[in-house]
Amino acid sequence: MAKLGSVLVVLAAFQWGLTGGIGSLLMSWGWEAEVISFWRALVGFICMLAWMVLLGYHKVPARKPLALMGWSLLAGVGVAGNFMFYFTSVSMSGVAVAATLMYSAPIFVYITSFLARVERPTPVKLISIVGVMIGIVLLTGVLQSGSGKVTPLGVLFGLLAGVSYAIFIFAFKSATRHGSTPGVLAIALGVSSLVMLPLTNLSQAVAVPFADELWLILVFGLVGGGFSFYCYVIGLKNTLPSVASIIAMIEPITATLFGVFVLGEGMDMMQLAGMALILVAITTLSLAQNGPEVLLRLPLGLRGGKPRNMTASTREEGGGTQVSKG
């Protein structure tokens, strides 16, 4: 089971990395960042809704419905910001830079925790933070005068995607204390779709079902907001934290390889050094915490246990918790 769990986490990270590349490809064909972000969330919402119903989570009452809804709404806002800022950054600075900047999101969580005195800084954490900051400088070419590869707005939106992801981390962890994981994801993705709707080019969004690229947009939504979440949730239950932390690097690496070999995005040695520094620093930070929730997409706290609101009549089956009938 441990090997299967690692394979599923690898598959989830690979899909999230692939999502950035597919999104970049769709934007090069004329689709706007807000439109593909909206459809990613919408397809993900449908997938999470189906998962919740098929496994019987919809029959399980929430412990605190108001708290569940409130935190899930905030998680949805974080998802919306993450999706839109990320693909806007991709359109301006390339998928490799955008993915790596977003990968630095845990740093924002730690800096906030230090300032709020929720967590005490340690030498490892401080060195990791400094390493990420230096890596960002190298990756974005700030020291290279006249470099036009990365725009300031692209960097800003990439960092805002990381901040939005940090909001999602905090809200999602809080929401899952009061309800099932598929339920929280369904609410969050549904809310994110509604949040993005007024910001989306409606004429282009409604044209998607009739477009030649419909199949790729559906694949984009499935790997970015549907099947990847299922792989991650199931895989994390059977994967050691240290292993999952290393596996997480597959996401930005996949995005970078897609950008370089499929989209023809070039990276110089200084940018590659900056990317490597960020990956090593964030992975070190995660290993120091001994938990992949610092690093990976879903800080679920699901390691080997049933959701707290499940009753004795529930059982684990097929990689998910299923309600016994009768």
Side-chain angles (χ1 to χ4, degrees):
M1 288 300 292
K3 181 179 291 188
L4 177 60
S6 298
V7 170
L8 289 174
V9 174
V10 166
L11 186 57
F14 175 77
Q15 289 177 83
W16 281 316
L18 196 62
T19 299
I22 296 177
S24 182
L25 190 61
L26 288 170
M27 286 187 289
S28 71
W29 293 343
W31 295 99
E32 296 181 5
E34 294 82 7
V35 172
I36 63 172
S37 297
F38 169 77
W39 273 93
R40 178 185 179 184
L42 183 61
V43 173
F45 166 69
I46 295 171
C47 291
M48 293 304 106
L49 202 62
W51 183 14
M52 182 176 66
V53 172
L54 290 175
L55 294 182
Y57 282 100
H58 64 293
K59 297 180 180 180
V60 181
R63 296 180 63 195
K64 295 182 179 180
L66 290 179
L68 170 66
M69 185 58 65
W71 287 118
S72 298
L73 290 174
L74 182 58
V77 173
V79 169
N82 177 258
F83 283 7
M84 288 193 298
F85 288 136
Y86 174 56
F87 288 111
T88 303
S89 177
V90 168
S91 67
M92 294 181 173
S93 298
V95 64
V97 172
T100 308
L101 287 173
M102 188 173 65
Y103 186 79
S104 65
I107 294 300
F108 300 113
V109 178
Y110 277 104
I111 293 176
T112 303
S113 297
F114 295 156
L115 294 176
R117 298 184 179 181
V118 175
E119 189 166 348
R120 302 180 69 177
T122 65
V124 172
K125 294 174 184 176
L126 291 176
I127 291 173
S128 297
I129 290 174
V130 172
V132 169
M133 296 305 178
I134 296 174
I136 289 175
V137 170
L138 295 175
L139 176 70
T140 56
V142 172
L143 299 180
Q144 302 179 57
S145 59
S147 175
K149 293 183 178 179
V150 181
T151 66
L153 277 179
V155 175
L156 176 62
F157 285 127
L159 294 175
L160 286 175
V163 172
S164 299
Y165 169 43
I167 293 173
F168 168 70
I169 289 175
F170 178 72
F172 190 89
K173 289 185 71 174
S174 299
T176 51
R177 299 190 186 108
H178 308 293
S180 68
T181 298
V184 172
L185 283 171
I187 295 172
L189 289 168
V191 168
S192 67
S193 300
L194 294 176
V195 169
M196 287 187 281
L197 190 59
L199 306 173
T200 301
N201 182 336
L202 294 181
S203 61
Q204 192 177 78
V206 298
V208 168
F210 312 100
D212 293 337
E213 297 86 2
L214 173 62
W215 68 273
L216 186 59
I217 293 175
L218 292 178
V219 170
F220 171 75
L222 286 172
V223 301
F227 188 60
S228 54
F229 285 128
Y230 180 80
C231 290
Y232 179 83
V233 171
I234 304 305
L236 187 59
K237 292 181 179 180
N238 301 293
T239 305
L240 292 174
S242 57
V243 175
S245 299
I246 301 298
I247 288 173
M249 286 196 296
I250 291 175
E251 180 183 351
I253 290 174
T254 299
T256 299
L257 292 176
F258 192 102
V260 171
F261 293 106
V262 178
L263 303 176
E265 297 178 356
M267 295 187 73
D268 57 33
M269 292 304 297
M270 186 172 289
Q271 287 181 303
L272 290 173
M275 179 181 177
L277 186 57
I278 291 172
L279 296 182
V280 171
I282 295 291
T283 304
T284 301
L285 185 62
S286 180
L287 291 173
Q289 285 293 105
N290 194 32
E293 67 275 5
V294 176
L295 189 58
L296 293 177
R297 284 282 180 196
L298 290 178
L300 301 176
L302 292 179
R303 185 159 302 282
K306 299 176 183 177
R308 294 181 183 180
N309 60 328
M310 288 292 182
T311 64
S313 62
T314 61
R315 59 190 174 88
E316 296 287 337
E317 181 175 316
T321 307
Q322 189 171 27
V323 179
S324 300
K325 302 189 187 230

